[in-house]
Amino acid sequence: MKKRRLLTGAITSVLMISLLSACGGSNNGNKEAVAPETNTPTTSNETAENVNLRLYTYGTEEAYNWSNTLKAYEDATPGVTIELIQLSDKGDTQEAFKKLDLEAASGAEIDVLMFSDPAGYAQRVALGMAEPLDDYITKDGYKVEEDYKVDTRLDGKVYALPGKFNPWYVLLNKNHLDEAGLAVPTDWTWDEYADYAKKLTKGEGATKRYGTYFHGPQAGGWMEFLKLKMENQPQDADFLKADGSSNLDNPTFKETLELRVRMEMEDQSSVPYSDMISQKLAYRTQFFNESASMLTIGSWMNTEIGGTEKVPLNFNIAVAPFPKNNSEDPTGLTPVTTDYVAVGANSKHKEESYKFIRWYTTEGQLVQGKNIPAWSQVKSEQVEEIIDTILSGTKNPEKVDKKSLVDTLIVSKASAIVPPSSYQNEVYKAVNDEYEKLILGTQDIDTTVKNSQERVNQIIESNKK
């Protein structure tokens, strides 16, 4: 009982922390994907009768196809039902996290829970909300780093299995490219990206069309946009290193700041940061309304790029890989988002919950038919079939250059993931604050780097045990 009170108090103390968002979403696709042939252990039909598992998620029906997915599991697992608790009607991960924290603080029984980003995952593991899965994994006889494309270990333990594999890429307005005489890039650098943005920018004033739109950073979220030249490196692709020390002395951090300043303030080819903040701009609107010709974003957009009822598509779209820093660098290294699917620490049905998340993060991803799975058993040759399934749920799949999309997804790969710290949100907020001073013209780049380093080092020191 004392442990429960301590956990409840700890969770209550972080209810108002802002977390990173990685929101996707879109229409359902009804085409059924075919599971690959594999020896991966599947869910046993021999399970306790009348077990009800409570699944807490930010995922909407549109984005996650829950009805078909959960029914498939229940049909394959007699006696188990999945009770879906949707924490946000619009898939807002910040809203969902606040509600999840309240549920945990109230002592609600949570069997399965999902985290949308590494920082939110690490923070709630530190609060004791998730059950370690290592014993279950050992019993099943596989290794997370071999069976999945995302390693979810924290301090040497596995607390979640990864669902989707959403590498970042660049969406391009193909009509605008053709108008400017530009080819669809298959391998390019950030300098070439900036050059494309400059050539695609057109007009002035309220009707100006920008070459690109960067949707961050925002209040410590969407920090991918301050790591553009860090994230395409094989190692040290975040503000912190694997040992917990600061990585802000990495030259790619300063180079990212220089890129952002160049594109917005010198070339004026990127939508102004002040407009994004003051007008609360949405990246979907900026791209699909043709206010910006290029959008660097995560491939959760696969379910939307063919157009939806809410966001119609009135032009042709192509896709390019995440840019690299130098022409000789490997192609395709990119930030990757996933769903961290965990077993609740206070679940009374941990075994059954684990079996569900193992199924959901493997064969269940194919049933869901919304994303490329993080499950490594899905081979490159299957990607086109999965994309066909996803695009079939959009309004105008014929407007999508499918070859450029498939080629980009096949070449994409994650950098070595830096295990997130429990204080990562503090680091993100500090770096975000200093960037705002830079981009709004109140301090220069060198001062921004210096102040960011000092603030992050202070955060690291204050959190040492």
Side-chain angles (χ1 to χ4, degrees), residues 255-293:
E255 289 167 8
T256 298
L257 299 180
E258 291 171 337
L259 177 71
R260 293 293 303 270
V261 168
R262 168 189 166 189
M263 295 185 69
E264 179 174 331
M265 303 176 81
E266 297 172 16
D267 296 346
Q268 298 182 9
S269 61
S270 174
V271 176
Y273 183 83
S274 57
D275 287 0
M276 182 195 74
I277 296 298
S278 63
Q279 298 176 32
K280 299 181 179 179
L281 298 179
Y283 61 84
R284 291 174 177 86
T285 304
Q286 289 295 295
F287 183 70
F288 285 102
N289 284 3
E290 301 190 75
S291 299
S293 301

Side-chain angles (χ1 to χ4, degrees), residues 317 384 387-388 391 397 400-407:
I317 282 183
E384 185 170 355
I387 288 300
D388 283 337
L391 290 180
V400 179
D401 181 347
K402 190 177 75 171
K403 184 179 187 306
S404 69
L405 172 58
V406 172
D407 289 348

